[in-house]
Amino acid sequence: MAEESDQQTTMPKSFPVKPKLKPTSRKSTTTPESKYWRSFKSPDPQNPKTLISSITSLSFSPAAPHDFAATHSATVSIFSAATLEHKSTLSAFTDTATSASYRSDGRLLAAGSYSGKIQVFDLKTRSILRHLRSHTRPVHFVKYPLADKLHLYSGGDDSIVKYWDVATETVVSDLIGHKDYVRCGDGCPASDDMFVTGSYDHGIRVWDVRVSRTSSVMEVNHGKPVEDVIYLPSGGLIATAGGNTVKIWDVIGGGRLVHSMESHNKTVTSICVGKVGREGGEGGEENRVLSVSLDGYMKVFDYSRFKITHSMRFPTALLSIAFSPDSSTRVIGSSNGVLYAGKRSVKENVGSEVAEETKKQALRPSYFRYFHRSQNEKPSEGDYLVMRKKKVKLTGHDKLLKKFRHKEALVSALRGKNPENVVAVMEELVARKKLLKCVQNLETEEELGLLLGFLQRYTTVPRYAGLLIGFSKKVVEMRAEDFSASEALRVHIRNLKRAVEEEVRIQQSLQEIQGIISPLLRIAGRR
């Protein structure tokens, strides 16, 4: 027993080791869009890229090949969007780098820092071209306009938004209005002279340097300190992030709140616009708002339907997100310096395989099968299409009129009981000078009954009266002997007579009323 107790005391203790957490998404959602967002995968998911410290901002180059810049510590790191590998480093900062923005041609990059200084780099030589000094406190955002290469705007903890002339290193205008730290901003896609900024004073201000260089043209209140603001591609909407809420605002409508999304549990730190193919396809055709938060979640928000379409969890707090212009790369920066860079898993050889398979199956004029293609065969490029005219379905009376069987056409129309068709057939027979001939050829009592019944119902209708009143008189004169020989036809004649007399009585009453009103209208007109 003693030996056993000694063995038990000498055994080493073991502790369970938890595996490293990996980014996860809900596997239960199998929609095409969820598959699309899950297809953004890192080349080496076991070893994500880790930078020195928190990644404060991410920015893609507007020009191909769309490299992206990540600001962290006192450094701006440039990565290749094609391989997701590190390319170069810009480290000429005396304090923490906070923001980076590419010029529209992708050749220059402007970056701010906690020192309050903004530096413009030539990415080819990695040399500093301009030093922009005017901010007295840390700069939190720097942004180039969409196409303007000569100006940029910035904001920082001094609560002032500055509009710069980069070439002369001077401030064109100080835009004053915010009452707390200015943390974010974005340029309008519709105009390089307009941009929007967000501040910790809960306010979002829209500036237009053409209208006013001292005050904003519009202001809305987010309700919480604003961490990020972006223009949506149309230019008429903006999205703001603050607290655990992302809000969509209608700029054209004067700052009307369109929708508020509250799906995060902690502060939303960054938002951007991403594109997804229709029904989860390969091409980017529909826009989404991507948001990341301190709760470690990335959310995809469809602002056209106001719903979350995808959610993905990461093992640490997230600070920044960016999406490439060609919809092929998505990067997310975290608080512990881990860069979650994902590239869409599109097989490069799929296009060539499909093209090769199509080439093999293509039918050529020299093939026997070429001349036995079915009607469902899709035309290829260069084929001459011979379109066959669609046959127009004719009614029974139209077919009879084409065969010049005039009496049968009239009887067929009368049996159809559609007054428009009957009158149209009668007008066609008048044009052919065959209407009265058809009345003479009506042989049976049934056919005459159909004609008289139609005349009884529609002769007094104003729409058809111009043709049918004179036609009714001719019918009575031509077939008077047949009507006197049949009791059923005499009933139709009496009903027709009664209807005409009633219509005459109504017309006489209307003329009397007209005679009374006309003098009164003349007197009123003289006054």
Side-chain angles (χ1 to χ4, degrees):
M1 295 292 292
E3 292 178 359
E4 291 180 1
S5 62
D6 292 341
Q7 289 179 359
Q8 290 178 358
T9 56
T10 57
M11 286 180 65
K13 293 182 180 180
S14 61
F15 299 94
V17 178
K18 292 184 178 180
K20 269 190 176 182
L21 292 174
K22 300 176 186 177
T24 58
S25 59
R26 297 178 182 175
K27 297 295 182 182
S28 58
T29 55
T30 57
T31 62
E33 185 161 336
S34 294
K35 293 179 181 177
Y36 175 83
W37 292 113
R38 284 202 295 267
S39 67
F40 287 86
K41 296 179 180 179
S42 173
D44 188 3
Q46 299 294 336
N47 299 303
K49 292 176 176 57
T50 304
L51 304 180
I52 299 173
S53 62
S54 301
I55 301 171
T56 53
S57 75
L58 292 164
S59 177
F60 274 94
S61 170
H66 305 297
D67 293 340
F68 63 92
T71 59
H72 58 96
S73 185
T75 307
V76 177
S77 296
I78 310 298
F79 292 86
S80 169
T83 62
L84 303 182
E85 295 297 328
H86 183 267
K87 289 182 65 175
S88 60
T89 301
L90 307 175
S91 56
F93 295 91
T94 58
D95 208 334
T96 303
T98 56
S99 177
S101 176
Y102 282 91
R103 200 171 70 171
S104 59
D105 56 4
R107 295 182 179 180
L108 303 184
L109 182 138
S113 68
Y114 279 1
S115 64
K117 183 171 62 175
I118 301 170
Q119 299 178 91
V120 180
F121 296 88
D122 183 347
L123 292 176
K124 188 175 182 179
T125 62
R126 290 189 291 175
S127 60
I128 303 173
L129 300 181
R130 295 289 185 272
H131 294 274
L132 308 181
R133 299 182 180 91
S134 180
H135 284 286
T136 58
R137 303 287 296 276
V139 176
H140 283 283
F141 91 90
V142 177
K143 196 75 175 179
Y144 266 106
L146 187 65
D148 186 358
K149 299 179 181 179
L150 304 177
H151 300 89
L152 58 80
Y153 38 89
S154 62
D157 287 355
D158 55 6
S159 306
I160 300 174
V161 179
K162 295 182 181 290
Y163 187 64
W164 297 86
D165 184 343
V166 179
T168 60
E169 299 182 337
T170 57
V171 177
V172 177
S173 57
D174 287 330
L175 305 173
I176 301 173
H178 287 296
K179 300 176 183 178
D180 207 335
Y181 302 157
V182 180
R183 303 305 296 254
C184 52
D186 193 26
C188 177
S191 172
D192 288 337
D193 298 313
M194 293 182 64
F195 51 92
V196 62
T197 57
S199 168
Y200 272 11
D201 63 2
H202 303 186
I204 300 101
R205 291 177 178 264
V206 178
W207 310 88
D208 189 342
V209 293
R210 299 167 299 183
V211 177
S212 174
R213 295 191 174 181
T214 57
S215 61
S216 60
V217 295
M218 194 191 77
E219 180 183 5
V220 294
N221 192 335
H222 182 85
K224 292 182 180 179
V226 181
E227 299 288 346
D228 202 1
V229 58
I230 57 171
Y231 262 100
L232 299 183
S234 64
L237 299 174
I238 59 173
T240 60
N244 64 338
T245 308
V246 176
K247 294 184 178 181
I248 308 295
W249 306 85
D250 184 359
V251 179
I252 298 176
R256 178 178 62 88
L257 178 62
V258 177
H259 185 74
S260 177
M261 179 194 63
E262 301 178 2
S263 63
H264 287 283
N265 297 321
K266 294 184 179 179
T267 301
V268 181
T269 52
S270 180
I271 54 177
C272 73
V273 174
K275 292 184 178 180
V276 62
R278 195 174 302 279
E279 297 298 330
E282 298 300 338
E285 296 179 6
E286 297 181 358
N287 295 308
R288 302 286 187 266
V289 174
L290 279 65
S291 62
V292 293
S293 167
L294 295 178
D295 60 7
Y297 276 94
M298 181 199 76
K299 304 279 186 178
V300 180
F301 177 60
D302 182 358
Y303 59 88
S304 63
R305 294 181 294 169
F306 303 130
K307 63 179 291 188
I308 301 294
T309 57
H310 184 65
S311 178
M312 191 170 184
R313 185 185 178 189
F314 291 81
T316 184
L318 307 178
L319 297 183
S320 53
I321 185 171
F323 195 82
S324 65
D326 60 357
S327 307
S328 65
T329 311
R330 181 224 64 214
V331 288
I332 297 175
S334 66
S335 60
N336 60 0
V338 178
L339 181 67
Y340 297 102
K343 198 164 181 63
R344 190 151 50 90
S345 57
V346 180
K347 294 181 180 179
E348 296 179 357
N349 58 348
V350 167
S352 60
E353 288 179 1
V354 172
E356 187 176 353
E357 185 178 353
T358 306
K359 188 176 180 181
K360 289 180 181 178
Q361 296 180 354
L363 295 178
R364 299 178 181 177
S366 58
Y367 294 170
F368 178 76
R369 288 189 298 118
Y370 180 85
F371 298 98
H372 289 79
R373 294 177 294 176
S374 65
Q375 62 180 356
N376 296 325
E377 182 74 18
K378 292 183 179 179
S380 59
E381 188 176 357
D383 283 351
Y384 182 78
L385 299 181
V386 179
M387 304 300 293
R388 183 179 296 175
K389 292 183 178 179
K390 292 184 178 180
K391 292 183 178 180
V392 180
K393 291 185 178 180
L394 299 177
T395 56
H397 55 267
D398 285 328
K399 292 178 182 178
L400 293 169
L401 284 173
K402 286 187 70 176
K403 297 177 181 179
F404 301 98
R405 295 166 62 179
H406 300 130
K407 188 199 79 170
E408 289 86 345
L410 179 60
V411 173
S412 176
L414 290 170
R415 285 178 176 157
K417 297 181 180 179
N418 187 335
E420 294 182 358
N421 291 342
V422 176
V423 173
V425 171
M426 288 182 177
E427 289 176 345
E428 178 63 23
L429 293 175
V430 169
R432 298 186 184 188
K433 300 180 181 179
K434 296 294 182 180
L435 181 57
L436 297 181
K437 186 68 174 177
C438 291
V439 175
Q440 290 178 354
N441 293 336
L442 295 176
E443 300 171 353
T444 64
E445 185 178 330
E446 179 191 0
E447 294 173 349
L448 284 170
L450 287 172
L451 179 59
L452 291 176
F454 175 80
L455 295 176
Q456 170 197 334
R457 285 191 295 272
Y458 298 105
T459 298
T460 56
V461 175
R463 185 176 178 182
Y464 312 121
L467 172 66
L468 296 184
I469 288 178
F471 178 59
S472 300
K473 182 179 179 182
K474 291 287 186 181
V475 171
V476 173
E477 291 175 354
M478 291 174 59
R479 305 301 296 266
E481 296 180 359
D482 298 318
F483 298 153
S484 60
S486 172
E487 180 62 29
L489 297 179
R490 285 201 299 270
V491 172
H492 283 297
I493 293 296
R494 284 196 296 267
N495 293 337
L496 176 60
K497 181 180 178 182
R498 190 181 300 112
V500 172
E501 289 175 350
E502 181 66 25
E503 183 65 22
V504 171
R505 192 179 306 112
I506 292 172
Q507 293 296 331
Q508 288 176 349
S509 300
L510 292 175
Q511 287 181 351
E512 292 174 1
I513 295 171
Q514 184 180 5
I516 296 171
I517 295 176
S518 296
L520 299 176
L521 293 175
R522 291 196 191 96
I523 295 171
R526 291 171 186 171
R527 292 180 182 177

